[in-house]
Amino acid sequence: MEGGIPEADMSAFRECMGLSRKNPYVLRLAFSAGIGGLLFGYDTGVISGALLFIRDYFKDVDRKTWLQEAIVSMALVGAIIGASVGGWMNDRFGRKVSIMTADTLFFIGAVFMAAAPNPSMLIVGRVIVGLGVGMASMASPLYISEASPTRVRGALVSLNSFLITGGQFLSYLINLAFTKTPGTWRWMLGVAALPALIQVFLMFFLPESPRWLYRKGRGDEAEAILRKIYQPDEVEAEINALKESVAMELKEAETSGKISFLTLLKTKSVRRGLYAGVGLQIFQQFVGINTVMYYSPTINQLAGFASNQTAMLLSLITSGLNAFGSIVSMYFIDKTGRKKLALISLCGVVMSLILLTITFRQAETHSPMVSKVESSHFNGTCPSFSTAVDTSRWDCMKCLKASPVCGFCADGSNKLLPGACLISDDISKNECQNDHRAWYTRGCPSKFGWLALIALALYIIFFSPGMGTVPWVVNSEIYPLRYRGICGGIASTAVWVSNLIVTQTFLTLTQAIGTAWTFMLFGCVAFIAIFFVLIFVPETKGVPMEEVEEMLNKKAVQIKFWQKEPAENKGYAV
């Protein structure tokens, strides 16, 4: 099947890199489709920096946490719809058409956001962009997976993950580039229209997925493409394997009729694949990755770095490490294996989240005190502080949580010394900064700020090569061909629903229970995820796509995960 089961070792990565010389056609397919991942990453990452300037431009957004969450998360609402429709579109019209449709939505959404006269129109643009993100999130890796030789399939699908993280890193660079430009956030959000146009142009000259063509009875077209993808000594075996696989699925389709959700659950291999694939995608989100990516500058401000520019500059570290982790994943995923890489990743994520919890807890309990004398130097003292009976216990954290909203003006010589608690408005902000002091509204001055940055960096270093990539790779190869589109749609929908829940509640949680306990909550989820991967996720390393179904039919779960698989089951480790 697909030329047999190749030994997936480090040479897979070297072979992938050597494709630029041996078979540039495969890399052309992967990179062209991967631009969808770049757009996906850019449009999800750009809002983190743009939000800082949107808050300054629209005062309602600055005052209302739910409105900030809505601007970020409405793209995810669109992504949920896009992923749901994308599953059907991938099966009906093909992977290529789905990618080009996503590009059209990226372009329209970018124009809407750049021209938005109010928060409502901005949210509409975010929803449209989200539709494109949802479609691209499944269509791009699916296209790459089905147009890749088995030996380098994992590495090339990881390329899509690298372009996602690369798009996020690019968005942070673009954000920094436009910080001093009139219309700041409009340029940040509008730039995404350009790569969307580029991908439409490139995809116009590329073929459809050969596996989808076989499924639609267009075997001659599929064979012509496969002869360009595979080496001459491998292509016949691949063609025969696909013919057999498609013939069996068409026969099954005739007897089972239309695909329904009940049909999916009744089909053993599909049901078990969905357990693993959907579960991985849900845990990927609930360990908190997109709170870090979407709110990275805000988290930096919570850690004590008040300046918008400083917060965005520090976010480049997080984004850059995320992109680097994707390259590491390309190197190891076809050697180490999907399952082992996910487990190593999750163990590191748990430790990093524990460190973040301790760091933010220390920052919250050791924030600078509020001085009545310092506060009286300014005209806009916080009303709650002015009317408080006992102000001796007021610190920066209590000041920021006061109602109406107040800000902390740090001491000019040492930010950790007692400062002033002032009403949060432009007048107080300007008075504070004109006195050569730092103005805080999101977090407090802290001597633990750099430790928080180190913990965030460790979190990304562990997350990106494993849980950042493995769920996408597993979902691109775990489902039988006939169900691949619809199951991919279900998995992508699960991603965006989970992402929406986490993103929509992050700022609210930090206000309700504090930043420290919010990260602890993510850490508990990551700990549970370790056991989920051990028990439910199969190892698909080096297993041809046509044999994954057979593997899933053999075994559902591995309760005694510490025991090695019998020799006869090697290659089908669950």
Side-chain angles (χ1 to χ4, degrees):
M1 298 294 219
E2 287 195 20
I5 302 179
E7 182 184 355
D9 54 21
M10 196 68 76
S11 64
F13 179 79
R14 290 194 293 270
E15 183 177 334
C16 180
M17 294 299 100
L19 280 176
S20 58
R21 177 176 53 84
K22 294 181 186 177
N23 191 355
Y25 182 73
V26 175
L27 277 187
R28 181 185 163 199
L29 294 178
F31 271 108
S32 298
I35 294 176
L38 183 78
L39 282 163
F40 172 177
Y42 185 88
D43 279 306
T44 53
V46 71
I47 196 63
S48 63
L51 183 63
L52 304 182
F53 296 93
I54 292 169
R55 287 196 314 230
D56 292 339
Y57 190 86
F58 298 117
K59 296 305 177 185
D60 279 350
V61 176
D62 189 45
R63 289 192 294 267
K64 299 174 182 177
T65 298
W66 69 266
L67 198 51
Q68 295 174 40
E69 290 174 329
I71 290 172
V72 174
S73 63
M74 282 303 102
L76 307 180
V77 173
I80 293 169
I81 300 170
S84 302
V85 174
W88 168 80
M89 182 175 285
N90 267 278
D91 282 341
R92 180 69 182 273
F93 300 107
R95 293 31 167 164
K96 177 179 174 179
V97 172
S98 297
I99 291 173
M100 294 176 75
T101 302
D103 287 325
T104 304
L105 291 167
F106 279 129
F107 180 82
I108 295 172
V111 172
F112 257 80
M113 290 187 297
N118 52 56
S120 298
M121 286 297 293
L122 182 58
I123 289 173
V124 170
R126 292 285 293 165
V127 172
I128 295 172
V129 162
L131 290 170
V133 167
M135 288 185 180
S137 68
M138 64 167 298
S140 291
L142 191 58
Y143 182 92
I144 295 170
S145 175
E146 294 183 345
S148 301
T150 303
R151 187 176 182 83
V152 294
R153 187 178 66 219
L156 286 177
V157 175
S158 296
L159 172 65
N160 183 68
S161 295
F162 166 68
L163 288 170
I164 292 174
T165 55
Q168 291 174 332
F169 183 72
L170 177 64
S171 73
Y172 283 59
L173 287 176
I174 295 293
N175 283 348
L176 276 174
F178 286 117
T179 52
K180 301 296 185 181
T181 304
T184 50
W185 60 271
R186 297 186 187 277
W187 285 102
M188 294 172 183
L189 298 175
V191 163
L194 183 59
L197 290 176
I198 293 173
Q199 187 175 36
V200 167
F201 176 78
L202 292 175
M203 290 301 298
F204 185 79
F205 297 100
L206 293 180
E208 182 52 82
S209 157
R211 283 178 169 81
W212 184 84
L213 290 171
Y214 261 115
R215 187 76 179 80
K216 295 299 179 180
R218 295 157 63 180
D220 292 341
E221 295 177 54
E223 289 182 19
I225 298 166
L226 288 172
R227 293 185 190 283
K228 293 182 179 181
I229 294 173
Y230 283 86
Q231 297 297 315
D233 59 335
E234 298 176 341
V235 69
E236 292 302 327
E238 174 65 17
I239 290 172
N240 291 333
L242 274 178
K243 281 181 179 178
E244 293 174 10
S245 177
V246 170
M248 290 177 61
E249 292 194 11
L250 289 175
K251 184 176 179 181
E252 181 185 343
E254 290 175 1
T255 57
S256 61
K258 291 184 178 181
I259 298 175
S260 65
F261 189 70
L262 189 60
T263 303
L264 297 178
L265 294 180
K266 285 183 177 179
T267 307
K268 185 188 295 184
S269 60
V270 179
R271 183 176 67 250
R272 293 174 176 175
L274 283 172
Y275 290 161
V278 173
L280 272 175
Q281 298 285 37
I282 290 173
F283 278 113
Q284 181 193 56
Q285 299 305 311
F286 275 93
V287 298
I289 179 57
N290 280 315
T291 61
V292 175
M293 299 314 299
Y294 296 164
Y295 296 109
S296 184
T298 302
I299 292 173
N300 288 332
Q301 289 183 333
L302 289 170
F305 300 94
S307 164
N308 284 355
Q309 284 75 21
T310 301
M312 288 172 59
L313 185 62
L314 291 173
S315 296
L316 273 176
I317 299 172
T318 303
S319 184
L321 287 172
N322 198 26
F324 176 74
S326 298
I327 299 175
V328 173
S329 176
M330 291 172 64
Y331 192 77
F332 283 106
I333 197 162
D334 282 321
K335 176 186 184 298
T336 306
R338 288 64 159 145
K339 186 168 184 171
K340 188 181 294 184
L341 203 55
L343 290 171
I344 294 170
S345 174
L346 284 167
C347 289
V349 164
V350 170
M351 291 187 292
S352 303
L353 287 169
I354 291 173
L355 181 58
L356 274 170
T357 301
I358 295 171
T359 302
F360 274 100
R361 186 59 186 160
Q362 288 297 309
E364 289 170 1
T365 55
H366 293 81
S367 66
M369 300 302 292
V370 174
S371 166
K372 202 163 189 175
V373 174
E374 289 287 322
S375 300
S376 65
H377 288 169
F378 300 90
N379 295 320
T381 303
C382 176
S384 297
F385 179 74
S386 301
T387 58
V389 176
D390 181 11
T391 59
S392 61
R393 296 186 179 182
W394 273 64
D395 60 10
C396 174
M397 292 302 299
K398 188 167 184 177
C399 173
L400 298 190
K401 293 180 180 180
S403 181
V405 179
C406 296
F408 183 79
C409 184
D411 183 87
S413 59
N414 185 342
K415 295 177 184 177
L416 298 178
L417 292 176
C421 185
L422 310 176
I423 187 71
S424 183
D425 58 23
D426 288 340
I427 296 174
S428 297
K429 177 182 177 182
N430 291 334
E431 283 187 2
C432 176
Q433 293 178 337
N434 290 338
D435 200 28
H436 304 291
R437 301 179 179 218
W439 177 247
Y440 292 84
T441 56
R442 305 293 163 189
C444 294
S446 172
K447 61 182 178 182
F448 302 102
W450 289 104
L451 185 57
L453 289 181
I454 292 171
L456 276 174
L458 287 174
Y459 174 89
I460 293 296
I461 288 170
F462 281 110
F463 179 90
S464 183
M467 285 301 288
T469 299
V470 169
W472 297 106
V473 174
V474 169
N475 273 281
S476 71
E477 58 191 11
I478 200 171
Y479 307 116
L481 177 59
R482 181 174 177 239
Y483 303 101
R484 197 164 293 153
I486 190 68
C487 289
I490 291 172
S492 292
T493 303
V495 168
W496 297 116
V497 170
S498 305
N499 195 340
L500 174 63
I501 293 170
V502 174
T503 306
Q504 183 65 25
T505 58
F506 176 69
L507 292 180
T508 303
L509 277 173
T510 59
Q511 288 187 344
I513 64 175
T515 308
W517 301 123
T518 301
F519 282 119
M520 177 55 79
L521 191 61
F522 294 148
C524 292
V525 174
F527 183 74
I528 295 170
I530 292 173
F531 292 95
F532 173 84
V533 172
L534 283 168
I535 295 171
F536 290 101
V537 178
E539 179 56 78
T540 54
K541 178 188 74 173
V543 181
M545 296 179 80
E546 281 69 32
E547 295 184 15
V548 172
E549 183 175 2
E550 179 185 348
M551 175 185 67
L552 290 171
N553 277 323
K554 284 187 174 182
K555 196 169 186 181
V557 298
Q558 187 176 349
I559 301 299
K560 297 181 180 180
F561 52 79
W562 57 88
Q563 294 182 354
K564 291 185 177 180
E565 287 288 299
E568 64 269 18
N569 287 341
K570 282 186 177 180
Y572 303 108
V574 178

